[in-house]
Amino acid sequence: MKRLIDISQRLDNHVAGWPGDTPFSFSLAWNQAQSGSVNVGKIVMSIHTGTHIDAPFHFDDEGKRVIDLDLELYVGPARVIHIPATNSIGIDDVKNVNLEGVSRLLIRTGAWVNRQAFPQSIPFLEPELAVYLAQFGVRLIGLDLPSVDLLDSKELPAHHELTRLGIHILEGIVLEDVQPGDYELIALPLPLVEADGSPVRAVLREL
Ligand SMILES: N[C@@H](CC(=O)c1ccccc1NC=O)C(=O)O
Ligand SMILES: [Zn+2]
Ligand SMILES: [Zn+2]
């Protein structure tokens, strides 16, 4: 069996979340001494914490919820590329990358250096890149960032353009130790019926 590489952000009570959003918390609703039998955990979190997927409902009232998403998107061949962080990620940054036959593209920017804290600013994905990637048949994009748009964006142009073109969004992956190349991605959302996204345990399997 080939090695699994965990590309998920660990979730503990210090994990950095969106400013003002529900902080992550794990606690025991009952402990073994209290219940006489078991520890029973409880988590409270925003869906957009750590490594997660966005459903279109996150930015469109009429958009698909998590349960409506095609699971096939979240399992299968993926290409990891490195695009060192600048202001934005555009067509120029990928024009030397072979994208032929790539349906899942994972981008390491390295821009989220201190994962203990929420970043002050991040590179954004230029909407034109979504059009370019769609031409190659890309169906899922993953980034090592908390969003594909600027942190203070209200219009969310990249989220909308990616979705319009059928490209699904995976955010907050951890690619620090991952070499560029081809892998199998597994990053399945939970079967949350009404949700606007889902935390995922994202892993890469070496081919
Ligand atoms: N679009 C971001 C989340 C986001 O924008 C957000 C998450 C929690 C609280 C506020 C947010 N955006 C607000 O202005 C994401 O997809 O993770
Ligand atoms: Zn999100
Ligand atoms: Zn998002």
Side-chain angles (χ1 to χ4, degrees), residues 18-21 46 48 52 54 58-59 146-148 151-154 156 159 169 171:
W18 280 75
D21 200 6
S46 161
H48 302 275
H52 69 279
D54 287 349
H58 176 46
F59 39 87
S147 184
V148 290
L151 297 174
D152 59 359
S153 172
K154 294 287 176 218
L156 303 172
H159 282 86
I169 302 169
E171 293 169 326

Side-chain angles (χ1 to χ4, degrees), residues 23 28 35 51 78 86 107 130 133 135 159:
L28 289 179
S35 69
T51 309
T86 52
I107 301 177
L133 295 179
Q135 286 165 1
H159 282 86

Side-chain angles (χ1 to χ4, degrees), residues 78-99:
R79 182 160 299 167
V80 174
I81 63 171
H82 290 187
I83 301 180
T86 52
N87 255 346
S88 64
I89 305 163
I91 295 171
D92 277 357
D93 296 303
V94 299
K95 67 170 188 289
N96 294 324
V97 178
N98 178 12
L99 293 172

Side-chain angles (χ1 to χ4, degrees), residues 35-50:
S35 69
S37 56
V38 284
N39 291 311
V40 179
K42 139 175 132 176
I43 52 176
V44 178
M45 69 185 293
S46 161
I47 273 169
H48 302 275
T49 306

